[in-house]
Amino acid sequence: MSLKAGIVGLPNVGKSTLFNAITKKNILAANYPFATIEPNVGMVTVPDERLTYLENLYLPKNTVPTAFEFTDIAGLVKGASKGEGLGNKFLSHIRETDAIVEVVRCFDDANITHVEGKTDPIRDIEIINIELILADLEIVENRLGKIIKKAETTKDKESILEVSTLTKAKTNLESNIPLRRVSFTEEELLVLRSFNFITLKPLIYCANVLEDDIVIGDNEYTKLVKEYAAKENSGVIVMCAKMESELAELSDEDKKIFLTELGISSSGLDKLIFATYNLLGLETFFTSGPDECRAWTFKKGMTAKSCAGLIHSDIERGFIKAEVTSFNDLKEYGSELKVKEAGKLRLEGKDYLMQDGDIVYFRFNV
């Protein structure tokens, strides 16, 4: 299942430094606007101790973690929706993502230029949000100009629904309200989905701070970001992008030692990955054995048959049953045989709703 998260923000807020940490790629992170022109794309694995347990249990030839794509998009500025700073090009890249990570500068540093002159996270958030709103509004207005006359003339139900839905979207966007904060019916969401609106995508704020603030806790800027995010039910992850980039160079063992010395249970990067994963309503099931242990990403609410299709369309087409063991049961009993003896191995049908942590063997016939 292909999943994408786009990293956005003003220039020089730490986006590319964060991206360095995410992908361990050494991309350009320069101290001037528009250092990033083309979007940098990298795959990031979702840390999962359950997969490590399965790997140690089965000693497979191959282990495949679940992963999704992070895209670092160049810094947006005022007027981006009108093309300022190559804004139109950058905004088109955001439309291709499933979720948005908005990096917000929450630190003072005279050596790093702020495109707006001084640190003000709420101002920065609103600059980005307005540009994204204006970009969506332009699409709404263009489409309404083409569809209104058709709806009035033909009285076609689909056209009428599209006009009413887009008019509702237009009213909210003109009031500077992102579409993700608007209540839409299932029918209306189906209409909106084809337009790939940026402000309809789920969003999480990444508050970028100095290293000292990670240990001390919230500073005056992160408190403001959390208050702002709470009003729109968005999440906030506080991290130091510079420190995360340095941590990415360490081995897993050294990384654990470093975090323990700081009194931190997990890195900001791991928290961001989990938060983005959860933001998209994603969970994980596993297939395991001596040949391969693999984590598979699925959306909450997917059936066993639909999840079988994530592996191969033939498995979905010829689905018979799913042999399901929960990870917790396997860990408790220690082996597949003992799980079976305890009566914990289940046979589930095509309509079974997959659960996070299910270990599955699909029976099928084509």
Side-chain angles (χ1 to χ4, degrees):
M1 159 170 247
S2 179
L3 298 158
K4 299 179 180 178
I7 305 174
V8 302
L10 292 176
N12 299 343
V13 297
K15 299 186 320 319
S16 296
T17 304
L18 173 60
F19 185 81
N20 283 342
I22 287 175
T23 62
K24 298 185 182 180
K25 287 185 178 180
N26 192 24
I27 62 166
L28 177 62
N31 178 24
Y32 53 89
F34 313 124
T36 312
I37 301 299
E38 293 301 322
N40 296 289
V41 178
M43 298 301 294
V44 57
T45 59
V46 179
D48 199 321
E49 292 180 355
R50 297 171 298 183
L51 184 62
T52 303
Y53 179 89
L54 294 175
E55 184 179 22
N56 292 333
L57 181 65
Y58 289 97
L59 301 176
K61 297 174 184 174
N62 193 32
T63 301
V64 184
T66 188
F68 61 92
E69 190 177 285
F70 269 95
T71 302
D72 174 36
I73 294 156
L76 298 173
V77 293
K78 284 180 183 176
S81 59
K82 303 298 181 185
E84 288 295 325
L86 302 180
N88 285 332
K89 187 175 182 181
F90 301 158
L91 289 168
S92 70
H93 297 310
I94 304 173
R95 292 197 185 282
E96 298 168 8
T97 64
D98 300 298
I100 297 173
V101 176
E102 185 170 330
V103 182
V104 186
R105 178 167 164 171
C106 291
F107 65 89
D108 294 315
D109 189 335
N111 296 317
I112 300 178
T113 305
H114 193 296
V115 71
E116 289 295 320
K118 66 175 184 177
T119 305
D120 184 341
I122 304 307
R123 175 207 57 210
D124 295 354
I125 287 172
E126 291 180 344
I127 286 173
I128 296 295
N129 286 354
I130 287 171
E131 293 306 322
L132 302 186
I133 284 170
L134 289 174
D136 279 352
L137 185 58
E138 183 179 4
I139 288 177
V140 170
E141 290 174 337
N142 287 341
R143 180 58 182 167
L144 280 173
K146 296 175 182 177
I147 195 72
I148 285 177
K149 190 171 288 185
K150 178 185 176 183
E152 291 174 345
T153 304
T154 65
K155 306 297 182 184
D156 173 62
K157 285 185 178 179
E158 288 186 3
S159 298
I160 291 171
L161 175 61
E162 184 176 348
V163 168
S164 66
T165 303
L166 291 178
T167 300
K168 180 177 176 179
K170 181 174 183 286
T171 300
N172 282 280
L173 291 170
E174 287 177 336
S175 299
N176 289 336
I177 300 172
L179 297 182
R180 66 179 172 275
R181 290 168 54 186
V182 181
S183 295
F184 291 105
T185 66
E186 286 299 318
E187 279 188 324
E188 289 171 335
L189 286 173
L190 282 174
V191 171
L192 296 174
R193 199 163 292 149
S194 62
F195 294 97
N196 223 3
F197 288 121
I198 301 172
T199 64
L200 193 59
K201 299 178 190 296
L203 178 145
I204 189 166
Y205 295 103
C206 174
N208 187 19
V209 300
L210 298 176
E211 291 182 46
D212 290 346
D213 289 326
I214 290 295
V215 179
I216 296 170
D218 283 329
N219 62 31
E220 59 178 311
Y221 299 131
T222 59
K223 289 176 183 176
L224 291 172
V225 173
K226 287 184 176 180
E227 287 173 10
Y228 185 95
K231 293 175 184 176
E232 58 175 36
N233 294 318
S234 292
V236 179
I237 298 296
V238 178
M239 69 161 66
C240 172
K242 182 175 180 292
M243 186 175 81
E244 296 296 331
S245 187
E246 292 167 354
L247 280 173
E249 301 299 323
L250 301 178
S251 67
D252 289 342
E253 191 60 37
D254 287 343
K255 180 178 170 182
K256 285 180 182 178
I257 292 171
F258 182 81
L259 291 174
T260 300
E261 289 176 350
L262 290 178
I264 301 171
S265 58
S266 59
S267 71
L269 178 53
D270 285 349
K271 290 177 183 176
L272 178 63
I273 292 171
F274 285 129
T276 308
Y277 198 70
N278 291 331
L279 186 68
L280 292 169
L282 305 177
E283 292 182 327
T284 304
F285 75 88
F286 303 92
T287 51
S288 58
D291 288 330
E292 181 181 83
C293 286
R294 182 164 184 161
W296 300 86
T297 299
F298 70 99
K299 282 194 176 286
K300 293 177 185 178
M302 285 181 68
T303 63
K305 186 177 180 181
S306 296
C307 285
L310 298 176
I311 299 175
H312 199 285
S313 57
D314 284 349
I315 302 177
E316 181 177 16
R317 185 160 54 92
F319 181 94
I320 299 173
K321 290 284 183 182
E323 295 182 8
V324 182
T325 302
S326 78
F327 173 81
N328 289 338
D329 286 340
L330 179 63
K331 190 172 182 181
E332 180 181 348
Y333 292 99
S335 71
E336 286 184 14
L337 179 60
K338 289 182 179 178
V339 167
K340 194 170 184 179
E341 289 173 347
K344 296 293 185 178
L345 176 66
R346 311 188 311 273
L347 278 180
E348 302 288 359
K350 63 181 182 180
D351 295 326
Y352 168 70
L353 295 180
M354 293 286 281
Q355 301 298 308
D356 185 53
D358 278 348
I359 303 168
V360 191
Y361 173 75
F362 292 105
R363 296 183 187 177
F364 70 103
N365 183 34
V366 177

